[in-house]
């Protein structure tokens, strides 16, 4: 691959990463905003979710900055690329499209959704998918 071809592929993957982060933020935010009260349990849950939200925002900023640094232009406002819910994550393999991301309050279903979003590669296997990825680790 030439340097130019590598840059094209890298820019595409960085844009997918940007859209991926934009797609994962709303489920975490919905769960965070649904927690009411100030019990010890509620405060701990909010603190954990807020740390995840902040980390996802950091990932988004890093992908945008790297794309800018290599001459790309992050796209954050194209309605055709913005997530809809329930829906699959950007770049996700069509061979494993049973997984749908939902917007939900903080409940066992949303926690299960978060686990699947963040599923490490080792939990799914190290298969390569020509049409996308199945885990964040694979991506």
């Amino acid at each position: 691959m030439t340097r130019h071809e590598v840059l094209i592929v890298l820019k595409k993957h960085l844009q997918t990463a940007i859209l991926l982060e934009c797609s994962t933020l709303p489920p975490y935010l919905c769960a965070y905003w649904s927690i009411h009260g100030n019990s010890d349990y509620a405060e701990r849950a909010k603190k954990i979710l807020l740390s995840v939200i902040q980390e996802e925002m950091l990932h988004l900023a890093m992908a945008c900055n790297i794309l800018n640094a290599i001459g790309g232009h992050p796209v954050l406002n194209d309605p055709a690329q913005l997530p809809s819910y329930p829906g699959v994550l950007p770049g996700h393999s069509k061979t494993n499209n049973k997984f749908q991301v939902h917007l939900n309050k903080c409940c066992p279903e949303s926690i299960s959704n978060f686990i699947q979003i963040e599923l490490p590669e080792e939990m799914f296997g190290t298969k390569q998918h020509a049409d996308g990825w199945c885990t964040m680790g694979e991506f």
Side-chain angles (χ1 to χ4, degrees), residues 15-16 18-20 22-23 74-84 88 90:
Q15 183 60 43
T16 299
I18 289 165
L19 296 174
L20 182 58
C22 287
S23 297
V75 177
L76 294 163
N77 62 350
D78 179 358
Q81 294 185 29
L82 294 176
S84 61
V88 297

Side-chain angles (χ1 to χ4, degrees), residues 11-118:
K11 287 175 184 179
K12 179 181 176 262
H13 287 314
L14 285 165
Q15 183 60 43
T16 299
I18 289 165
L19 296 174
L20 182 58
E21 296 303 335
C22 287
S23 297
T24 58
L25 280 164
Y28 291 120
L29 288 166
C30 285
Y32 177 79
W33 291 327
S34 74
I35 301 171
H36 302 288
N38 57 2
S39 69
D40 192 41
Y41 176 76
E43 291 301 317
R44 282 190 306 216
K46 287 193 286 191
K47 185 176 180 180
I48 289 168
L49 282 168
L50 188 58
S51 72
V52 173
I53 291 164
Q54 290 170 332
E55 190 163 323
E56 299 299 340
M57 291 294 295
L58 177 62
H59 296 159
L60 175 61
M62 289 189 309
C64 287
N65 286 339
I66 293 168
L67 185 53
N68 272 327
I70 64 170
H73 305 284
V75 177
L76 294 163
N77 62 350
D78 179 358
Q81 294 185 29
L82 294 176
S84 61
Y85 302 93
V88 297
L89 294 171
H92 198 265
S93 173
K94 304 300 182 262
T95 61
N96 187 34
N97 65 356
K98 294 175 187 165
F99 173 60
Q100 297 274 309
V101 178
H102 295 267
L103 299 181
N104 205 348
K105 63 185 177 186
C106 190
C107 62
E109 292 83 19
S110 63
I111 302 302
S112 175
N113 203 255
F114 301 154
I115 290 169
Q116 288 201 34
I117 288 173
E118 303 295 341

